[in-house]
Amino acid sequence: MLLAEDDPVAQSTTAKLLKNIGVQADVVGNGLEAIHMLQERSYDVIFMDVQMPQMDGLQAARAIRDLWPHRRIRIIALTACTRKGDRETCLEAGMDGCIAKPARKEDIAASLRR
């Protein structure tokens, strides 16, 4: 599992939530770093913040789908945006789901079960 999140507090909080449900995650600070990690390792799931420096989550999701069209990597957006249409924007970018921040253990677990 890979967690792409630029905010150190959100990184720590989300990593702890994942650990509490038995999942160890590698952590990176932006979408570009996520792509570099995917070149090194294989991940089944990426929790991806939508708004990050250098390369945001939407750009990263599009790039991942373009670079690895045959790998089925589940990308779940983590976003503070809860406006109408935000979920659709994430799905159109190639993400598989969306969790509103602050993420809750139940939401993360449910997204992993899907």
Side-chain angles (χ1 to χ4, degrees):
M1 178 139 342
L2 181 63
L3 170 61
E5 168 65 65
D6 64 316
D7 180 80
V9 173
Q11 282 180 350
S12 176
T13 302
T14 307
K16 285 179 187 173
L17 287 174
L18 289 167
K19 188 174 182 178
N20 286 341
I21 59 174
V23 177
Q24 181 67 34
D26 292 330
V27 180
V28 296
N30 63 57
L32 192 56
E33 291 175 4
I35 289 171
H36 290 302
M37 288 296 285
L38 282 167
Q39 292 170 337
E40 303 285 323
R41 295 190 60 191
S42 180
Y43 294 96
D44 295 319
V45 179
I46 302 171
F47 284 98
M48 180 94 66
D49 185 15
V50 172
Q51 296 179 341
M52 295 181 288
Q54 291 185 311
M55 178 182 277
D56 69 31
L58 300 174
Q59 294 167 322
R62 288 183 195 103
I64 290 165
R65 297 301 185 216
D66 288 344
L67 291 168
W68 295 282
H70 301 293
R71 276 174 67 186
R72 192 62 213 147
I73 304 165
R74 187 162 169 75
I75 304 172
I76 308 298
L78 295 173
T79 180
C81 299
T82 55
R83 296 182 311 254
K84 183 177 168 111
D86 287 339
R87 178 177 171 74
E88 291 74 19
T89 299
C90 292
L91 297 176
E92 288 170 3
M95 295 181 170
D96 299 292
C98 187
I99 296 175
K101 287 183 181 180
R104 298 177 321 139
K105 180 179 173 180
E106 299 79 20
D107 296 333
I108 290 175
S111 71
L112 290 173
R113 283 191 298 273
R114 284 186 216 117

